[in-house]
Amino acid sequence: MNSKQKILTSFIALTLFFSAHVFGQNPIVQTYYTADPAPMVHDGTVYLYTSHDEDSTVNNFFTMYDWRCYSSTDMVNWTDHGAVASLKDFAWLDKTNGAWAPQCIGRNGKFYLYVPIHGEGISVLVADSPTGPFTDPLGKRLIETDHIWQDIDPTAFVDDDGQAYLYWGNPKLWYVTLNDDMISYDQSIGQNGVVSVEMTTEAFGSHKGRDGKPGPSYTEGPWFYKRNNLYYMVYAAAGIPEYIAYSTAPSAEGPWTYRGFIMERAPHLAFTNHAGIIDFKGKSYFIYHDQALSVNQGFKRSVSIEAFEYNPDGTIPVIVPTKEGVTESVENLNPFKRVEAETIAWSEGLKTKSDETLGVYVSNIDNNDFIKIRSVDFAKGAKKFSASVATAKSGSIEIRIDKIDGELLGTLAVPGTGGKQNWKTLSTKIKEAKGVHDVYLVFKGDDKGLFSFDWWQFK
Ligand code: FUB
């Protein structure tokens, strides 16, 4: 091959590589498998709690030890807060697996994380901040029933009159009315405080079960909220594989009316699905999980998001799962304040770790791995890039804009800092950048595990 042919071949290879790398937003976390999304809007930020499918599945079943949290102020860049709670937070528990679908809700300055532990019913953890540390206030499970294997997937909501509800269940739907302390409930209603919701076709649809007989469409994963005086129950429906459907009611306690499917089947969806819905900064978002990242492994799921609009009568349209996800950020990111390196719109090849003093940082950085950060507003100009890194090896960070092979603003050399725990702030001058751009931080070096990366900032 002569040199002209070599150049042409490399050009075609590169074109194919980059055209195959058109990065959408979904799934929104690439460093870990995440499932069962439960968003909470607090103080201008979305905190997204997820369950966590381990990278290694044990016994071909859900392998889930902890609950993770991610936050965003723009719906496209997500900051990883790590595992904010785990089964180890329950001293009385002798199970090591079963950290299923959580939901967190704030009240009176405290944050209550309701969690199901598979086969152990529903418990609660409390914290003073949305990202923990969470502790167990009861020393035992919260919900006492004689059907704890069916007691999964809690969803909590505080009504305008201050009455709080906790709904949950598979394949039935139950609720308790929580007391103001959010960690106990009124024992005088239902059976020892637990009310069983009537599962009629009018309320929750109908589908043919595996035995061929019709039954209620409701399956699990309820998500309970109120919007414009209408109460919504969104849930996984139609058995396995699951669709997402919903019902509405004029009060928090029903009566429920079945309203149909929201998300139907698609090839990259898992055999389970589980949804959360929020309004944030004037837009509505439907958050669910798929198996796009693991390529068809139902025990390795990932959270994805679609923006949508309610119909004028408050009904929810059918929402199609996409790779693009949320195309518009609801605000730009300010690069002149310290940005955690684990604030990511899209990444490849990376993991995050956490450290008691440092918090969460980006790890497992190999040659050509990268982080994309969306809608970064350089305003009138940025001329310098700084980053906090630690390494015994050496490498570099290329700072590019708009595309992974876009304009190179500069390269930060990362020489050894004297060890993996020896953090140093390094800086480099960059070509002046103005206005709003997507930023790509592309890591380069000859080795694996090049360095760890805690935060960055432009000046
Ligand atoms: O993640 C474990 C279980 O799978 C959840 O509790 C269900 O909602 C389903 O998503």
Side-chain angles (χ1 to χ4, degrees):
M1 207 187 285
N2 64 32
S3 60
K4 252 192 183 166
Q5 284 170 321
K6 270 188 193 159
I7 292 170
L8 187 65
T9 315
S10 317
F11 177 74
I12 292 170
L14 276 175
T15 309
L16 285 176
F17 174 82
F18 288 121
S19 58
H21 282 70
V22 176
F23 313 111
Q25 284 292 133
N26 284 337
I28 62 155
V29 176
Q30 305 83 36
T31 45
Y32 285 91
Y33 294 113
T34 53
D36 303 322
M40 175 185 78
V41 177
H42 173 72
D43 223 2
T45 299
V46 178
Y47 292 90
L48 179 67
Y49 300 84
T50 73
S51 57
H52 166 210
D53 289 333
E54 290 291 324
D55 288 0
S56 302
T57 302
V58 179
N59 294 335
N60 197 28
F61 191 60
F62 295 112
T63 307
M64 306 169 79
Y65 308 143
D66 50 27
W67 296 279
R68 300 186 66 85
C69 180
Y70 299 84
S71 70
S72 179
T73 53
D74 56 25
M75 292 307 286
V76 293
N77 297 302
W78 290 91
T79 303
D80 185 340
H81 297 279
V84 292
S86 87
L87 295 176
K88 291 186 185 143
D89 292 320
F90 299 101
W92 50 270
L93 185 73
D94 60 8
K95 282 205 166 158
T96 52
N97 191 10
W100 285 18
Q103 188 182 343
C104 189
I105 186 166
R107 186 167 200 188
N108 297 332
K110 298 262 182 217
F111 297 88
Y112 300 89
L113 184 66
Y114 297 96
V115 296
I117 301 165
H118 186 221
E120 287 290 343
I122 289 168
S123 291
V124 61
L125 294 167
V126 187
D128 292 329
S129 116
T131 54
F134 285 94
T135 53
D136 174 7
L138 296 175
K140 59 179 183 144
R141 73 176 66 94
L142 168 66
I143 305 292
E144 257 328 320
T145 70
D146 55 8
H147 43 71
I148 52 173
W149 283 87
Q150 299 177 339
D151 293 347
I152 63 167
D153 297 354
T155 177
F157 167 72
V158 185
D159 208 347
D160 299 333
D161 62 3
Q163 178 59 60
Y165 293 85
L166 190 76
Y167 273 90
W168 75 91
N170 170 342
K172 294 184 180 164
L173 186 62
W174 292 277
Y175 73 85
V176 292
T177 53
L178 290 165
N179 294 327
D180 289 353
D181 65 7
M182 301 294 275
I183 57 169
S184 64
Y185 51 94
D186 178 0
Q187 299 279 335
S188 69
I189 56 169
Q191 190 162 11
N192 300 325
V194 176
V195 180
S196 179
V197 178
E198 215 189 327
M199 305 304 284
T200 62
T201 301
E202 293 71 34
F204 295 104
S206 130
H207 88 114
K208 232 187 233 171
R210 269 183 267 186
D211 55 4
K213 293 185 189 148
S217 193
Y218 173 90
T219 305
E220 60 179 359
W223 179 257
F224 180 39
Y225 66 103
K226 179 185 189 179
R227 190 175 188 273
N228 294 339
N229 283 325
L230 190 60
Y231 295 79
Y232 291 77
M233 190 70 70
V234 175
Y235 45 86
I240 283 172
E242 292 175 341
Y243 290 57
I244 299 291
Y246 77 116
S247 304
T248 60
S251 94
E253 295 168 18
W256 295 99
T257 302
Y258 180 66
R259 298 287 179 192
F261 288 143
I262 301 176
M263 182 165 277
E264 301 191 32
R265 293 294 307 153
H268 70 289
L269 294 184
F271 67 92
T272 62
N273 202 346
H274 191 117
I277 290 187
I278 48 164
D279 284 347
F280 183 63
K281 297 186 178 167
K283 298 197 170 174
S284 301
Y285 297 93
F286 178 83
I287 311 179
Y288 60 102
H289 67 221
D290 57 40
Q291 55 188 12
L293 203 63
S294 67
V295 190
N296 300 336
Q297 298 181 61
F299 297 124
K300 290 183 183 168
R301 300 159 293 176
S302 295
V303 170
S304 285
I305 306 183
E306 311 295 339
F308 76 99
E309 278 179 31
Y310 286 85
N311 296 317
D313 61 358
T315 54
I316 302 175
V318 171
I319 297 169
V320 177
T322 69
K323 179 165 170 42
E324 292 71 34
V326 177
T327 48
E328 274 175 49
S329 68
V330 286
E331 67 180 34
N332 293 330
L333 186 139
N334 175 1
F336 301 113
K337 63 178 194 196
R338 183 177 140 154
V339 179
E340 293 302 316
E342 61 276 12
T343 299
I344 296 171
W346 189 266
S347 72
E348 282 190 8
L350 305 172
K351 284 278 180 203
T352 59
K353 283 188 182 156
S354 61
D355 178 289
E356 281 210 347
T357 43
L358 211 65
V360 179
Y361 60 90
V362 172
S363 65
N364 300 56
I365 299 178
D366 300 338
N367 187 36
N368 285 330
D369 290 349
F370 70 91
I371 294 173
K372 174 185 178 185
I373 307 107
R374 276 194 52 195
S375 302
V376 176
D377 188 359
F378 290 107
K380 288 185 189 150
K383 291 182 180 164
K384 190 176 162 191
F385 174 79
S386 302
S388 172
V389 291
T391 180
K393 301 178 180 171
S394 64
S396 63
I397 306 176
E398 289 182 355
I399 304 120
R400 295 183 177 271
I401 49 172
D402 300 328
K403 293 192 288 184
I404 190 165
D405 57 341
E407 187 183 354
L408 181 65
L409 296 184
T411 302
L412 178 71
V414 181
T417 60
K420 276 187 188 165
Q421 292 308 319
N422 216 14
W423 291 90
K424 279 205 173 138
T425 302
L426 305 174
S427 300
T428 184
K429 279 189 184 161
I430 57 162
K431 251 191 239 169
E432 190 167 16
K434 291 184 180 173
V436 179
H437 296 273
D438 291 347
V439 169
Y440 288 81
L441 302 177
V442 187
F443 307 107
K444 298 284 176 182
D446 293 334
D447 214 335
K448 289 226 164 254
L450 291 170
F451 45 87
S452 302
F453 182 17
D454 189 26
W455 56 263
W456 56 264
Q457 185 169 21
F458 285 88
K459 282 218 168 110

PDB file of all heavy atoms in Angstrom, residues 36 62 64 100-101 152-153 220 272 274 289 301, ligand 1:
ATOM      1  N   ASP A  36     -34.271   0.890  38.083  1.00  0.00           N
ATOM      2  CA  ASP A  36     -35.339   1.327  38.994  1.00  0.00           C
ATOM      3  C   ASP A  36     -35.217   2.810  39.377  1.00  0.00           C
ATOM      4  O   ASP A  36     -35.122   3.158  40.561  1.00  0.00           O
ATOM      5  CB  ASP A  36     -35.322   0.467  40.269  1.00  0.00           C
ATOM      6  CG  ASP A  36     -35.464  -1.014  39.958  1.00  0.00           C
ATOM      7  OD1 ASP A  36     -36.226  -1.356  39.049  1.00  0.00           O
ATOM      8  OD2 ASP A  36     -34.807  -1.825  40.634  1.00  0.00           O
ATOM      9  N   PHE A  62     -31.013 -11.175  39.831  1.00  0.00           N
ATOM     10  CA  PHE A  62     -30.667  -9.812  40.240  1.00  0.00           C
ATOM     11  C   PHE A  62     -29.551  -9.852  41.288  1.00  0.00           C
ATOM     12  O   PHE A  62     -29.700 -10.507  42.326  1.00  0.00           O
ATOM     13  CB  PHE A  62     -31.883  -9.112  40.852  1.00  0.00           C
ATOM     14  CG  PHE A  62     -33.003  -8.900  39.874  1.00  0.00           C
ATOM     15  CD1 PHE A  62     -34.199  -9.585  40.008  1.00  0.00           C
ATOM     16  CD2 PHE A  62     -32.865  -8.005  38.822  1.00  0.00           C
ATOM     17  CE1 PHE A  62     -35.241  -9.374  39.118  1.00  0.00           C
ATOM     18  CE2 PHE A  62     -33.912  -7.781  37.925  1.00  0.00           C
ATOM     19  CZ  PHE A  62     -35.099  -8.477  38.071  1.00  0.00           C
ATOM     20  N   MET A  64     -27.688  -7.270  43.499  1.00  0.00           N
ATOM     21  CA  MET A  64     -27.876  -5.851  43.825  1.00  0.00           C
ATOM     22  C   MET A  64     -27.580  -5.613  45.302  1.00  0.00           C
ATOM     23  O   MET A  64     -28.297  -6.109  46.172  1.00  0.00           O
ATOM     24  CB  MET A  64     -29.324  -5.443  43.504  1.00  0.00           C
ATOM     25  CG  MET A  64     -29.703  -5.772  42.058  1.00  0.00           C
ATOM     26  SD  MET A  64     -31.464  -5.613  41.700  1.00  0.00           S
ATOM     27  CE  MET A  64     -31.606  -3.859  41.529  1.00  0.00           C
ATOM     28  N   TRP A 100     -33.291  -3.706  46.093  1.00  0.00           N
ATOM     29  CA  TRP A 100     -34.154  -3.438  44.943  1.00  0.00           C
ATOM     30  C   TRP A 100     -34.617  -1.975  44.909  1.00  0.00           C
ATOM     31  O   TRP A 100     -34.062  -1.137  45.582  1.00  0.00           O
ATOM     32  CB  TRP A 100     -35.325  -4.449  44.959  1.00  0.00           C
ATOM     33  CG  TRP A 100     -34.874  -5.828  44.512  1.00  0.00           C
ATOM     34  CD1 TRP A 100     -33.585  -6.299  44.452  1.00  0.00           C
ATOM     35  CD2 TRP A 100     -35.710  -6.909  44.059  1.00  0.00           C
ATOM     36  NE1 TRP A 100     -33.575  -7.592  43.994  1.00  0.00           N
ATOM     37  CE2 TRP A 100     -34.851  -8.000  43.735  1.00  0.00           C
ATOM     38  CE3 TRP A 100     -37.080  -7.073  43.899  1.00  0.00           C
ATOM     39  CZ2 TRP A 100     -35.338  -9.224  43.271  1.00  0.00           C
ATOM     40  CZ3 TRP A 100     -37.569  -8.288  43.429  1.00  0.00           C
ATOM     41  CH2 TRP A 100     -36.705  -9.350  43.110  1.00  0.00           C
ATOM     42  N   ALA A 101     -35.688  -1.714  44.156  1.00  0.00           N
ATOM     43  CA  ALA A 101     -36.087  -0.358  43.759  1.00  0.00           C
ATOM     44  C   ALA A 101     -36.385   0.624  44.905  1.00  0.00           C
ATOM     45  O   ALA A 101     -37.379   0.460  45.615  1.00  0.00           O
ATOM     46  CB  ALA A 101     -37.329  -0.476  42.873  1.00  0.00           C
ATOM     47  N   ILE A 152     -42.366  -5.060  47.747  1.00  0.00           N
ATOM     48  CA  ILE A 152     -41.222  -4.429  47.046  1.00  0.00           C
ATOM     49  C   ILE A 152     -41.699  -3.116  46.413  1.00  0.00           C
ATOM     50  O   ILE A 152     -42.879  -2.818  46.369  1.00  0.00           O
ATOM     51  CB  ILE A 152     -40.619  -5.352  45.962  1.00  0.00           C
ATOM     52  CG1 ILE A 152     -41.647  -5.656  44.844  1.00  0.00           C
ATOM     53  CG2 ILE A 152     -40.061  -6.639  46.564  1.00  0.00           C
ATOM     54  CD1 ILE A 152     -41.019  -6.281  43.602  1.00  0.00           C
ATOM     55  N   ASP A 153     -40.752  -2.345  45.942  1.00  0.00           N
ATOM     56  CA  ASP A 153     -41.008  -1.165  45.117  1.00  0.00           C
ATOM     57  C   ASP A 153     -41.858  -0.083  45.800  1.00  0.00           C
ATOM     58  O   ASP A 153     -42.943   0.296  45.323  1.00  0.00           O
ATOM     59  CB  ASP A 153     -41.677  -1.577  43.791  1.00  0.00           C
ATOM     60  CG  ASP A 153     -40.768  -2.475  42.956  1.00  0.00           C
ATOM     61  OD1 ASP A 153     -39.611  -2.669  43.347  1.00  0.00           O
ATOM     62  OD2 ASP A 153     -41.226  -2.980  41.922  1.00  0.00           O
ATOM     63  N   GLU A 220     -45.934  -4.308  39.067  1.00  0.00           N
ATOM     64  CA  GLU A 220     -45.042  -3.858  40.144  1.00  0.00           C
ATOM     65  C   GLU A 220     -44.558  -2.444  39.848  1.00  0.00           C
ATOM     66  O   GLU A 220     -45.017  -1.798  38.910  1.00  0.00           O
ATOM     67  CB  GLU A 220     -43.840  -4.805  40.278  1.00  0.00           C
ATOM     68  CG  GLU A 220     -42.994  -4.886  39.003  1.00  0.00           C
ATOM     69  CD  GLU A 220     -41.790  -5.807  39.125  1.00  0.00           C
ATOM     70  OE1 GLU A 220     -41.553  -6.391  40.190  1.00  0.00           O
ATOM     71  OE2 GLU A 220     -41.075  -5.953  38.105  1.00  0.00           O
ATOM     72  N   THR A 272     -37.843  -6.423  32.667  1.00  0.00           N
ATOM     73  CA  THR A 272     -38.529  -5.531  33.614  1.00  0.00           C
ATOM     74  C   THR A 272     -38.464  -4.116  33.052  1.00  0.00           C
ATOM     75  O   THR A 272     -37.594  -3.809  32.244  1.00  0.00           O
ATOM     76  CB  THR A 272     -37.818  -5.501  34.986  1.00  0.00           C
ATOM     77  OG1 THR A 272     -36.496  -4.980  34.812  1.00  0.00           O
ATOM     78  CG2 THR A 272     -37.761  -6.872  35.618  1.00  0.00           C
ATOM     79  N   HIS A 274     -39.325   0.034  34.808  1.00  0.00           N
ATOM     80  CA  HIS A 274     -39.645   0.679  36.086  1.00  0.00           C
ATOM     81  C   HIS A 274     -39.507   2.177  35.849  1.00  0.00           C
ATOM     82  O   HIS A 274     -38.470   2.618  35.369  1.00  0.00           O
ATOM     83  CB  HIS A 274     -38.638   0.186  37.140  1.00  0.00           C
ATOM     84  CG  HIS A 274     -38.993   0.555  38.535  1.00  0.00           C
ATOM     85  ND1 HIS A 274     -39.275  -0.387  39.511  1.00  0.00           N
ATOM     86  CD2 HIS A 274     -39.110   1.750  39.128  1.00  0.00           C
ATOM     87  CE1 HIS A 274     -39.536   0.234  40.649  1.00  0.00           C
ATOM     88  NE2 HIS A 274     -39.452   1.536  40.439  1.00  0.00           N
ATOM     89  N   HIS A 289     -35.878   2.207  32.742  1.00  0.00           N
ATOM     90  CA  HIS A 289     -34.614   1.503  32.501  1.00  0.00           C
ATOM     91  C   HIS A 289     -34.702   0.583  31.289  1.00  0.00           C
ATOM     92  O   HIS A 289     -35.780   0.172  30.876  1.00  0.00           O
ATOM     93  CB  HIS A 289     -34.073   0.809  33.756  1.00  0.00           C
ATOM     94  CG  HIS A 289     -34.875  -0.351  34.271  1.00  0.00           C
ATOM     95  ND1 HIS A 289     -35.104  -0.561  35.620  1.00  0.00           N
ATOM     96  CD2 HIS A 289     -35.465  -1.405  33.644  1.00  0.00           C
ATOM     97  CE1 HIS A 289     -35.796  -1.675  35.780  1.00  0.00           C
ATOM     98  NE2 HIS A 289     -36.027  -2.202  34.604  1.00  0.00           N
ATOM     99  N   ARG A 301     -29.106  -3.594  33.866  1.00  0.00           N
ATOM    100  CA  ARG A 301     -29.967  -2.583  33.259  1.00  0.00           C
ATOM    101  C   ARG A 301     -29.362  -1.184  33.392  1.00  0.00           C
ATOM    102  O   ARG A 301     -28.428  -0.980  34.151  1.00  0.00           O
ATOM    103  CB  ARG A 301     -31.344  -2.638  33.937  1.00  0.00           C
ATOM    104  CG  ARG A 301     -32.002  -4.001  33.762  1.00  0.00           C
ATOM    105  CD  ARG A 301     -33.067  -4.267  34.793  1.00  0.00           C
ATOM    106  NE  ARG A 301     -32.501  -4.389  36.133  1.00  0.00           N
ATOM    107  CZ  ARG A 301     -33.215  -4.545  37.242  1.00  0.00           C
ATOM    108  NH1 ARG A 301     -34.534  -4.590  37.175  1.00  0.00           N
ATOM    109  NH2 ARG A 301     -32.632  -4.658  38.420  1.00  0.00           N
TER     110      ARG A 301
HETATM  111  O1  FUB B   1     -34.671  -4.293  40.345  1.00  0.00           O
HETATM  112  C1  FUB B   1     -35.305  -5.397  40.950  1.00  0.00           C
HETATM  113  C2  FUB B   1     -36.753  -5.424  40.570  1.00  0.00           C
HETATM  114  O2  FUB B   1     -36.894  -5.465  39.159  1.00  0.00           O
HETATM  115  C3  FUB B   1     -37.527  -4.196  40.962  1.00  0.00           C
HETATM  116  O3  FUB B   1     -37.848  -4.166  42.315  1.00  0.00           O
HETATM  117  C4  FUB B   1     -38.680  -4.281  40.032  1.00  0.00           C
HETATM  118  O4  FUB B   1     -39.435  -3.117  39.933  1.00  0.00           O
HETATM  119  C5  FUB B   1     -37.995  -4.653  38.742  1.00  0.00           C
HETATM  120  O5  FUB B   1     -37.479  -3.517  38.106  1.00  0.00           O
END
